[in-house]
Amino acid sequence: KLIFTMSLLLGTTLTISSNHWITAWAGLEINTLAILPLISKSHHPRAIEAATKYFLTQAAASALVLFSSMTNAWHTGQWDIAQLTHPTSCLILTSAIAIKLGLVPFHFWFPEVMQGSPLTTGLLLSTIMKLPPISLLFMTSPSLNQTLLTCMAIMSTALGGWMGLNQTQIRKILAFSSISHLGWMAIIIPYSPKLALLNFYLYALMTTAVFLTLNSIKTLKLSTLMTTWTKTPALSAMLLLTLLSLAGLPPLTGFLPKWLIIQELTKQDMILAATVISLLSLL
């Protein structure tokens, strides 16, 4: 466990602090390899299946990251992350990071992998594993394909909301919640990358609270969650507040990034997108 935790930290730090595309890619690969044993450690067929799905999607996405940076280097002679200027490379990189994060239409792997892994690993998957791709988006934000990002963001908020409605498995609901939050981050990253990072930090904080609460009351299904208030009334009340905050209800913390994002989108004359994404997040 120590080795895997150290590798996770190493991979994340490597990607976040790199200037060169190869080191960023190496960090992503280290991360993927470190989380695989944590997903499949229960030796349940579903866990093994989840690990396989995770490995295949992440390997494909990493290959695309490498391919886009290579195309860019071919055309411009630059391996610097900030110098991604070739339009095809930008398009490929946007879709590669979308696959890594699980944005719609590349989201199918994420709920399945979350369902197959234990709660603590699920927490790692939805917070720490999202940090390197989001930091790559942050670093390349001026050169990303904005139309593609906006379309994927609106689809993510819609599908994250709709698909989460008919679930009874808590991990799947949290996976869909993650997808719709990623939609909010993706729509704002070309205009105000710092705001997307703020959104990610607050999302990670609230998700961590939810996962740790669920882990301490040993809850995996909605049916067991309904009876927990008899055992731990205070914790259940706090869980309710955390979930409302995750839903973005004012005056709780989760409302702050949404408010700022809507404000920024209005400044960018994207009032229609802001309206649509706000209405979809009600789901």
Side-chain angles (χ1 to χ4, degrees):
K1 271 189 185 173
L2 181 70
I3 293 178
F4 299 141
T5 320
M6 293 296 286
S7 306
L8 270 180
L9 290 172
L10 171 74
T12 310
T13 318
L14 195 59
T15 305
I16 291 172
S17 58
S18 59
N19 286 323
H20 195 287
W21 273 114
I22 299 286
T23 44
W25 168 80
L28 292 171
E29 287 293 309
I30 293 172
N31 249 2
T32 305
L33 291 176
I35 197 89
L36 283 174
L38 296 176
I39 300 175
S40 57
K41 75 166 185 279
S42 63
H43 293 299
H44 190 274
R46 175 159 251 179
I48 307 296
E49 183 193 353
T52 314
K53 281 179 182 168
Y54 184 77
F55 174 68
L56 291 173
T57 44
Q58 297 295 322
S62 296
L64 278 178
V65 167
L66 210 51
F67 180 59
S68 79
S69 50
M70 197 175 70
T71 318
N72 188 59
W74 188 264
H75 282 279
T76 62
Q78 286 283 355
W79 276 104
D80 197 23
I81 288 189
Q83 305 281 344
L84 191 79
T85 47
H86 192 252
T88 321
S89 306
C90 298
L91 193 70
I92 299 173
L93 182 84
T94 311
S95 26
I97 294 186
I99 299 175
K100 272 211 163 299
L101 287 170
L103 277 167
V104 176
F106 311 110
H107 66 289
F108 294 103
W109 62 272
F110 190 51
E112 300 289 324
V113 172
M114 286 282 277
Q115 187 52 39
S117 47
L119 275 171
T120 38
T121 311
L123 170 63
L124 289 177
L125 279 172
S126 51
T127 53
I128 295 189
M129 298 304 288
K130 299 256 186 278
L131 187 56
I134 284 179
S135 63
L136 281 181
L137 278 182
F138 182 84
M139 290 187 273
T140 55
S141 55
S143 55
L144 290 170
N145 192 310
Q146 295 184 2
T147 350
L148 180 66
L149 264 181
T150 312
C151 293
M152 288 198 299
I154 290 175
M155 289 198 307
S156 295
T157 6
L159 265 158
W162 273 316
M163 308 269 281
L165 286 176
N166 53 1
Q167 294 293 338
T168 55
Q169 298 285 347
I170 290 181
R171 282 169 294 183
K172 272 197 175 166
I173 297 177
L174 284 165
F176 286 121
S177 138
S178 176
I179 291 171
S180 65
H181 276 273
L182 282 172
W184 280 89
M185 291 171 224
I187 201 165
I188 199 62
I189 203 128
Y191 308 109
S192 168
K194 286 181 179 162
L195 204 47
L197 267 191
L198 171 77
N199 191 345
F200 175 72
Y201 292 145
L202 287 175
Y203 161 73
L205 191 72
M206 295 182 292
T207 311
T208 309
V210 172
F211 268 104
L212 293 178
T213 310
L214 292 172
N215 198 28
S216 68
I217 52 186
K218 298 280 178 284
T219 317
L220 294 175
K221 285 195 184 66
L222 280 183
S223 50
T224 43
L225 187 62
M226 288 171 190
T227 55
T228 51
W229 65 272
T230 48
K231 291 178 256 175
T232 49
L235 200 56
S236 301
M238 290 308 294
L239 180 63
L240 167 73
L241 282 173
T242 318
L243 287 173
L244 286 177
S245 178
L246 202 55
L249 194 79
L252 299 161
T253 319
F255 175 61
L256 172 77
K258 290 191 166 148
W259 184 22
L260 292 171
I261 286 176
I262 292 170
Q263 194 181 348
E264 183 64 35
L265 286 175
T266 339
K267 279 184 199 159
Q268 299 288 347
D269 285 334
M270 292 177 63
I271 298 180
L272 181 65
T275 315
V276 171
I277 205 166
S278 319
L279 288 173
L280 287 172
S281 77
L282 292 175
L283 288 165

